[in-house]
Amino acid sequence: EAGVVQSPRYKIIEKKQPVAFWCNPISGHNTLYWYLQNLGQGPELLIRYENEEAVDDSQLPKDRFSAERLKGVDSTLKIQPAELGDSAVYLCASSSGTNTGETQYFGPGTRLLVL
Amino acid sequence: QKEVEQDPGPLSVPEGAIVSLNCTYSNSAFQYFMWYRQYSRKGPELLMYTYSSGNKEDGRFTAQVDKSSKYISLFIRDSQPSDSATYLCAMNALGGSNYQLIWGAGTKLIIKP
C-alpha cells in the first residue's frame, strides 16, 4: 500500500513569492490534515478535511494561507505571499476515520525555505 | 506553560542500553496517548498507542501511562543504532471534536554503536 505522497520535497523561494504544496493521501482515507513543523518542535495543525469539507481551519492564517481538497482525495496548500517566518516543514497526514485516536499516517513533508 | 512537555535532548546512550523517554501533560481530559518516531527528513510514524492508563508492550518497546501523575513513558530495550531518531509524544481527549492531537516537542535520541 502506497503511503502519503507529498510534492515537492524541497522548495526555496524568495519572500513575497507564492508557493504551493501537494498531497495525495492513502487510498480510502477520508480525513486529511496539513501540519506545520518547525525545527525542534512537534507538528502544529493548520487544517483538517473530512472528505472535501474543511472541518477545522481555525489555525490556518487565512490572510496568506489557503487550502483545497476539491474531490475529497488529494489536496493543495498554498501560501501567498510567503514570509521569512514561513520557513518550516509542511506535513500532510491522512486517516481512515474521524474517531478520536484514529491513527494518522504522515507523508515525508515539504521543506520550505523562504529567503 | 505548554500542555505537553517533553525534554528535547539530545539523549545519547550506548547500544544495548535501556532507553527511557518521557512526557508530562497538564490536561486531565487526555485519554489517548501515542508515541511517534521521526527519522531525519521523514514524517512521524506511529510507534505505540495507549488508551487511558496502564502498560502496553510491543517487541522491544513498552509504553506506560500514569494518569494520576500526568506522566507517560516509552521504554526501549536492547537499543539499536537504528533507533536513533526523534521521539514525539502526542495525546488527545475523548469524543466528538476532540480529535486534535497535542504534541510534545520531541526528544532526539542517539544510540552509539
Side-chain angles (χ1 to χ4, degrees), chain A residues 41-62:
Chain A
Q41 300 295 319
E44 301 171 27
L45 182 69
L46 291 172
I47 190 168
R48 179 174 76 103
Y49 282 93
E50 289 181 18
N51 299 305
E52 65 275 9
E53 182 182 0
V55 295
D56 184 357
D57 62 357
S58 58
Q59 298 177 75
L60 188 73
K62 298 181 184 65

Side-chain angles (χ1 to χ4, degrees), chain A residues 94-106:
Chain A
S94 69
S95 65
S96 60
T98 58
N99 293 329
T100 301
E102 194 71 46
T103 300
Q104 296 182 25
Y105 296 87
F106 285 82

Side-chain angles (χ1 to χ4, degrees), chain B residues 21-41:
Chain B
L21 303 165
N22 311 293
C23 288
T24 59
Y25 62 95
S26 56
N27 189 343
S28 58
F30 288 149
Q31 295 281 357
Y32 294 85
F33 304 93
M34 300 152 202
W35 286 96
Y36 280 79
R37 176 175 63 194
Q38 186 172 24
Y39 290 113
S40 180
R41 301 187 184 278

Side-chain angles (χ1 to χ4, degrees), chain A residues 9-10 33 35 37 40-43 45 48 56 59 91 98 100-101 103-104 106-108 111, chain B residues 2 32 34 36 38 41-44 46 49 88 92-95 98-101 103-105:
Chain A
R9 291 294 312 277
Y10 305 92
Y33 310 77
Y35 288 91
Q37 186 176 27
Q41 300 295 319
L45 182 69
R48 179 174 76 103
D56 184 357
Q59 298 177 75
L91 294 164
T98 58
T100 301
T103 300
Q104 296 182 25
F106 285 82
R111 191 173 297 264
Chain B
K2 292 183 178 181
Y32 294 85
M34 300 152 202
Y36 280 79
Q38 186 172 24
R41 301 187 184 278
K42 300 287 188 182
L46 183 66
Y49 172 105
L88 297 139
N92 59 8
L94 275 175
N98 292 324
Y99 66 89
Q100 186 172 340
L101 289 178
W103 295 80

